[in-house]
Amino acid sequence: MKEIRHVASVKVHYTRQQYMRGPGDAILCAKEFMDGEPFGVILGDDVVYTGDGEPALKQLMDQYEKTGGAVIGCQRVREEQVSSYGIIDGVKTEDPDLVKVLDMIEKPSIEEAPSRIAALGRYVITPEIFKILEQTKPGKGGEIQLTDALRVMAKNENVYAYNFKGKRYDTGNKLGYLKAMVEFALRREDIGPGFREYLKTLEL
Ligand code: G1P
């Protein structure tokens, strides 16, 4: 009941990106809702399982509270995967899971990639990003990239990349979507055991 009351008090705003102009443009569409506050971004095709741990975005919010800078949720990816993500060039901080961002490149080739630290669809961003986004030209794929705006931001203020805890699924491709469905189902106490038994009976 407490949870329902809490959700009922949340204000929901909705907007729609008119044209497929990229994630940076999509965030600009929500500018009027932000009221000059820092805000969280969740890219819907990145799903993260954290079990009993804090949700990925909450982990980033905690880092924002500590640092006061924008925080990009990241994990290390395999070399052959760097060309699918925004890749971070950063320097270590005292916390081994936190890197200060110097630069960032959207979907680099293996040769161009400054690291294997990839942005995985979770961000806490400060409102200064809007001015930058308004001046950001189309980048990779002809789209306004959030990565390009964040790299400009990182030149002028503190931006961090945080290695969040959790297993992340890329549900933007069919195989990733199926892996997420099956693994989330197997973890459930109610349907997990029955589903596991069912999978064992398959003879395909
Ligand atoms: C977007 C971002 C990219 C990020 C990725 C995470 O790309 O542009 O920087 O690393 O999400 O999934 P998309 O997957 O939408 O092409």
Side-chain angles (χ1 to χ4, degrees), residues 23 43 45-46 84-86 106-107 119-121 123 145 147 168:
L43 301 186
D45 53 357
D46 291 300
S84 301
Y85 300 106
E106 180 68 6
K107 303 195 174 87
L120 295 181
Y123 310 79
Q145 296 296 346
T147 297
R168 175 260 179 189

Side-chain angles (χ1 to χ4, degrees), residues 41-54:
V41 173
I42 295 177
L43 301 186
D45 53 357
D46 291 300
V47 174
V48 182
Y49 175 75
T50 53
D52 292 335
E54 298 282 13

Side-chain angles (χ1 to χ4, degrees), residues 82-83 87 89 105-115 140:
V82 293
S83 61
I87 301 293
D89 181 11
I105 309 181
E106 180 68 6
K107 303 195 174 87
S109 64
I110 292 178
E111 295 73 37
E112 285 170 320
S115 77
K140 265 271 149 65

Side-chain angles (χ1 to χ4, degrees), residues 9-195:
S9 70
V10 168
K11 280 188 197 157
V12 178
H13 299 273
Y14 173 84
T15 186
R16 210 167 150 216
Q17 188 182 24
Q18 299 280 331
Y19 304 97
M20 285 173 61
R21 287 199 190 116
D25 176 69
I27 287 167
L28 254 186
C29 293
K31 179 183 169 187
E32 61 189 284
F33 304 146
M34 299 311 172
D35 212 15
E37 299 269 340
F39 59 94
V41 173
I42 295 177
L43 301 186
D45 53 357
D46 291 300
V47 174
V48 182
Y49 175 75
T50 53
D52 292 335
E54 298 282 13
L57 192 59
K58 172 70 169 64
Q59 296 177 41
L60 304 192
M61 285 162 65
D62 291 344
Q63 294 303 318
Y64 169 77
E65 293 296 333
K66 277 189 207 156
T67 62
V71 187
I72 304 166
C74 292
Q75 287 185 350
R76 252 176 109 77
V77 295
R78 293 195 306 276
E79 191 177 65
E80 66 273 19
Q81 294 179 307
V82 293
S83 61
S84 301
Y85 300 106
I87 301 293
I88 308 286
D89 181 11
V91 285
K92 287 182 186 166
T93 67
E94 278 172 15
D95 179 346
D97 286 321
L98 191 72
V99 161
K100 186 171 179 301
V101 177
L102 297 177
D103 201 354
M104 197 176 170
I105 309 181
E106 180 68 6
K107 303 195 174 87
S109 64
I110 292 178
E111 295 73 37
E112 285 170 320
S115 77
R116 283 163 46 196
I117 306 173
L120 295 181
R122 298 290 184 280
Y123 310 79
V124 169
I125 307 180
T126 48
E128 291 74 29
I129 199 75
F130 291 116
K131 252 195 209 119
I132 303 173
L133 278 170
E134 276 158 358
Q135 288 163 16
T136 302
K137 302 260 177 315
K140 265 271 149 65
E143 296 187 331
I144 310 280
Q145 296 296 346
L146 177 59
T147 297
D148 292 342
L150 285 169
R151 82 190 293 195
V152 172
M153 198 178 200
K155 307 273 177 212
N156 301 312
E157 45 200 290
N158 291 342
V159 175
Y160 296 91
Y162 183 66
N163 178 26
F164 62 87
K165 281 130 213 97
K167 179 164 183 185
R168 175 260 179 189
Y169 300 86
D170 181 0
T171 65
N173 69 74
K174 290 171 194 158
L175 185 60
Y177 182 81
L178 283 173
K179 285 180 185 170
M181 291 283 281
V182 170
E183 291 186 30
F184 272 82
L186 286 172
R187 284 187 194 109
R188 284 177 62 128
E189 275 175 24
D190 53 354
I191 54 168
F195 186 47

